[in-house]
Amino acid sequence: MANLVGTALMNLLYRSPFNPKSTDNPDDALVDLVEGPDALPRRRALDLGCGHGRHSIYLARQGWDVTGIDIVGHAVATARAKAAEAGVSPRLIAGDVTELTQLGVTGGHSLIVDAGCFHGLPSRIRQRYVTAVTGAASPGATLLMLGLARHPVIKGVTADELRQRFRGWELVRAVSVAGDEMLRYGDGSPLLRRAFEKGWFDPWRYQLRRA
């Protein structure tokens, strides 16, 4: 099961002023994948680190079969309430994203969304995440990841690390995300807002494809 110390740390970070308060707006890149000119077929999606459910709810509204997972229990409870209010029923689970099999999450997911989960994992369990995600992904699946390259507390994530860790995946795209775009997805303390405006955290969006 999830390490108790790690779970406690994630709960503290979730309430930290350095953690953006999520809005209900889906990321632009996800909207493009789902509604754009080259939209993906509506199949099964996995939302890792789903938080308050903005992406799980959005995908469910678009007709996807969605499972959202977050280790922070009160965030999942909020996501469930928001989903009910929106009239959709994504499967929302409080649990460890590195233990998908134990949570009953099997393969066949053609879209996997990670908007700030992997970049907060300690190094010692990152390969477990890769193994779990690869097992849950269908051939040709898309992994859309948003992560910070710099942060005062968490490790962050870079394109070089993804290339090294995600064997059997292709890094299709790595794009720097401007601060004004990040601020549309979440807000927080004045210090955090200034950090995003100045680009201090160096946010990036990565798109990977499973071979």
Side-chain angles (χ1 to χ4, degrees), residues 113-157:
V113 182
D114 176 339
C117 180
F118 182 83
H119 75 173
L121 296 178
S123 296
R124 68 181 183 279
I125 65 172
R126 289 193 171 197
Q127 204 56 43
R128 285 166 46 192
Y129 171 106
V130 174
T131 300
V133 167
T134 301
S138 61
T142 295
L143 169 58
L144 187 67
M145 181 183 291
L146 181 66
L148 307 179
R150 295 192 299 268
H151 194 276
V153 179
I154 64 176
K155 184 178 184 297
V157 59

Side-chain angles (χ1 to χ4, degrees), residues 34-100:
V34 171
E35 301 183 57
D38 298 314
L40 298 173
R42 293 179 178 86
R43 294 175 181 163
R44 297 178 69 197
L46 191 56
D47 182 11
L48 302 176
C50 66
H52 292 163
R54 64 191 178 104
H55 287 145
S56 293
I57 293 169
Y58 166 72
L59 287 166
R61 280 175 162 167
Q62 294 295 320
W64 287 73
D65 178 4
V66 190
T67 298
I69 300 170
D70 202 291
I71 203 168
V72 181
H74 68 82
V76 174
T78 299
R80 289 171 178 158
K82 288 190 172 188
E85 184 178 339
V88 293
S89 302
R91 181 187 180 201
L92 298 167
I93 303 172
D96 186 340
V97 298
T98 71
E99 298 180 345
L100 297 180

